[in-house]
């Protein structure tokens, strides 16, 4: 066996393992979304722990977040649903 073939075999990635890692990441994201949805008002609404106005006043001009674009609950639910679809 040539040295280049041996190096290629040593550093190659099995596609089944890569697929399993992607499935595990998706399950982790979905379980996190389920846990965060139970405290949705506290974490994501204007009446929660950190209102959007306060977050914007402390964030620098170079920081960007889709969650800070709108403070309505419906908008935040849409973002969470999009993340859930991407995880699936």
């Amino acid at each position: 066996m040539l040295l280049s073939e041996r190096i290629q075999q040593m550093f190659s990635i099995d596609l089944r393992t890569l697929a399993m890692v992607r499935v595990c990441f998706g399950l982790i994201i979905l379980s996190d979304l389920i846990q965060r949805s139970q405290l949705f008002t506290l974490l994501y609404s204007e009446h929660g722990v950190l209102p959007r106005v306060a977050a914007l006043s402390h964030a620098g001009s170079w920081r960007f977040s889709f969650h800070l674009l709108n403070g309505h609950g419906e908008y935040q639910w849409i973002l969470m649903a999009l993340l859930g679809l991407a995880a699936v």
Side-chain angles (χ1 to χ4, degrees), residues 3 18 23 46 50 59:
L3 181 63
L18 188 60
V23 167
E46 291 286 338
L50 182 64

Side-chain angles (χ1 to χ4, degrees), residues 38-81:
Q38 295 171 359
L39 298 172
F40 180 78
T41 305
L42 182 65
L43 294 174
Y44 292 104
S45 73
E46 291 286 338
H47 307 290
V49 176
L50 182 64
R52 189 173 67 96
V53 175
L56 287 173
S57 68
H58 291 295
S61 62
W62 56 273
R63 293 187 182 172
F64 176 79
S65 173
F66 285 109
H67 289 280
L68 293 177
L69 290 177
N70 194 332
H72 296 292
E74 296 84 14
Y75 177 76
Q76 300 299 327
W77 277 113
I78 289 170
L79 288 178
M80 290 183 79

